[in-house]
């Protein structure tokens, strides 16, 4: 099996191909609009890289981290689907406290997955089918890409600092200090009863009611898609459930899950000095995606 160093050197040798970005719209069944961005390489496309960012309402088309990951796949066509109520030119600065009403009224994890699936179906009807489709999702976007993978069975999926092991609600609760967990748990319980626009932790009760019980391992086990899970050892979310899941897959002879853990990195792939190692991580992941390695 290739070492991470050899994969990194291979990635550095890849040439860059410039791409032209285009924004598009697609109607949902209820008439509301999905905004998405496509950028195709200047040469023949090697496939499609589908990108999903984490929490918040900032336009994904301008995400620095997604741009970094997209740059690691220069020969691929890139696809980003904005969250409901968000457009690439939405005037949002904070992304947590200044989310527009259209986002608060509609955004759920299930809606997000539906939107990605709808755009992919549309692209198949208007363009040539991509033989290679790779999904990438970070944090909350990782859970969305897991659910999408269970639907479309892509060539490969890369999940960075996502919710893996227990349910999404359990993962979120694990990041809350013990003294704050009772109030958060009470908020989750109320969200199930009244899934409205009441805010809890920057998200509406509607969002929480929809996402709390999503269990990533259910999606991982629903497809033979090769998955690469990437985590930082300094992540504030519990990493042990991810290690346990990787061990369980190996014990069951399910060799489609590869787990990389970088002990010195945090949730956003920054080292103790604050330096982002996302560019190196993205290039490593892109090399893995070219020839996904069996883990057992």
């Amino acid at each position: 099996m290739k070492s991470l160093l050899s994969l990194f050197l291979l990635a550095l040798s890849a040439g860059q191909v410039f791409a032209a970005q285009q924004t598009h719209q697609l109607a949902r069944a209820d008439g509301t609009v999905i905004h998405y961005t496509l950028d195709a390489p200047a040469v023949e496309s090697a496939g499609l890289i589908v990108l999903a960012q984490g929490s918040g309402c900032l336009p994904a088309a301008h995400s620095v981290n997604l741009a970094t990951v997209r740059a690691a796949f220069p020969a691929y066509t890139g696809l980003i689907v904005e969250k409901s109520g968000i457009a690439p030119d939405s005037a949002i600065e904070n992304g947590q406290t200044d989310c527009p009403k259209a986002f608060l009224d509609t955004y759920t994890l299930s809606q997000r997955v539906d939107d990605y699936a709808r755009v992919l179906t549309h692209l198949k009807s208007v363009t040539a089918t991509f033989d290679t489709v790779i999904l990438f999702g970070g944090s909350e976007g990782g859970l969305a890409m897991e659910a999408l993978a269970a639907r479309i069975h892509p060539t490969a999926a890369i999940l960075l600092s996502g919710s893996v092991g227990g349910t999404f609600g359990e993962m979120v609760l694990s990041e809350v200090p013990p003294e704050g967990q009772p109030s958060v748990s009470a908020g989750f319980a109320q969200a199930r009863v009244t899934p409205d626009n009441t805010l809890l932790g920057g998200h509406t009760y509607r969002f929480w009611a929809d996402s709390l019980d999503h269990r990533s391992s259910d999606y991982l086990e629903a497809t033979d898609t090769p998955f690469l899970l990437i985590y930082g050892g300094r992540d504030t979310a519990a990493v042990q459930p991810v290690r346990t899941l990787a061990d369980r897959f190996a014990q069951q002879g399910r060799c489609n899950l590869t787990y990389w853990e970088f002990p010195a990195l945090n949730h956003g792939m920054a080292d103790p000095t604050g330096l982002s190692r996302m560019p190196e991580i993205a290039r490593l992941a892109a090399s893995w995606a070219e020839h996904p390695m069996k883990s057992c």
Side-chain angles (χ1 to χ4, degrees):
M1 182 174 70
K2 294 180 180 178
S3 68
L4 295 184
L5 176 59
S6 64
L7 281 174
F8 181 41
L9 294 175
L10 176 62
L12 288 177
S13 69
Q16 294 291 313
V17 180
F18 295 99
Q21 295 185 352
Q22 295 181 334
T23 58
H24 301 268
Q25 297 181 4
L26 180 66
R28 299 186 183 90
D30 64 1
T32 57
V33 175
I34 302 170
H35 295 270
Y36 66 96
T37 302
L38 274 177
D39 58 88
V43 297
E44 183 178 356
S45 180
L48 183 68
I49 174 72
V50 182
L51 302 145
Q53 92 279 36
S55 60
C57 63
L58 286 171
H62 306 300
S63 164
V64 173
N65 281 339
L66 289 192
T68 299
V69 175
R70 197 269 171 274
F73 293 84
Y76 282 69
T77 298
L79 169 65
I80 294 175
V81 178
E82 299 291 350
K83 296 179 180 180
S84 59
I86 305 298
D89 59 352
S90 293
I92 301 168
E93 295 183 3
N94 178 276
Q96 298 292 336
T97 60
D98 58 349
C99 296
K101 186 175 185 299
F103 170 82
L104 297 175
D105 286 346
T106 61
Y107 178 62
T108 63
L109 185 66
S110 295
Q111 182 67 65
R112 186 179 191 183
V113 177
D114 287 345
D115 285 352
Y116 268 97
R118 190 175 189 86
V119 170
L120 288 171
T121 298
H122 171 70
L123 292 179
K124 286 182 180 180
S125 70
V126 298
T127 64
T129 301
F130 293 99
D131 292 331
T132 301
V133 176
I134 299 171
L135 308 184
F136 172 88
S139 193
E140 179 193 308
L143 182 56
M145 292 300 97
E146 291 164 3
L148 183 61
R151 285 197 198 183
I152 70 170
H153 309 287
T155 308
I158 301 164
L159 313 173
L160 187 145
S161 302
S163 165
V164 176
T167 64
F168 182 67
E170 290 167 346
M171 187 275 289
V172 171
L173 201 60
S174 74
E175 298 185 57
V176 178
E179 62 273 17
Q181 290 185 5
S183 63
V184 174
S185 294
F188 286 169
Q190 188 60 43
R192 296 180 191 277
V193 177
T194 56
D196 55 23
N197 278 14
T198 301
L199 288 175
L200 173 66
H203 284 294
T204 64
Y205 276 5
R206 179 183 299 102
F207 169 85
W208 291 118
D210 173 78
S211 11
L212 285 172
D213 295 328
H214 281 269
R215 187 181 299 274
S216 60
S217 58
D218 293 342
Y219 302 126
L220 297 176
E221 293 171 348
T223 177
D224 291 328
T225 291
F227 287 98
L228 172 61
L229 309 184
I230 305 173
Y231 281 78
R234 295 173 52 243
D235 198 327
T236 56
V239 177
Q240 186 55 48
V242 190
R243 299 170 183 156
T244 301
L245 178 68
D247 289 342
R248 176 159 61 85
F249 265 59
Q251 291 166 1
Q252 294 173 349
R254 297 178 60 91
C255 301
N256 62 317
L257 191 153
T258 299
Y259 175 53
W260 292 352
E261 184 178 320
F262 295 85
L265 302 186
N266 64 11
H267 187 77
M269 298 292 112
D271 68 19
T273 71
L275 176 66
S276 174
R277 306 310 294 265
M278 187 68 77
E280 296 97 323
I281 299 298
R283 289 192 288 264
L284 285 169
S287 291
W288 172 89
E290 288 298 315
H291 302 286
M293 300 175 296
K294 288 189 174 182
S295 58
C296 57

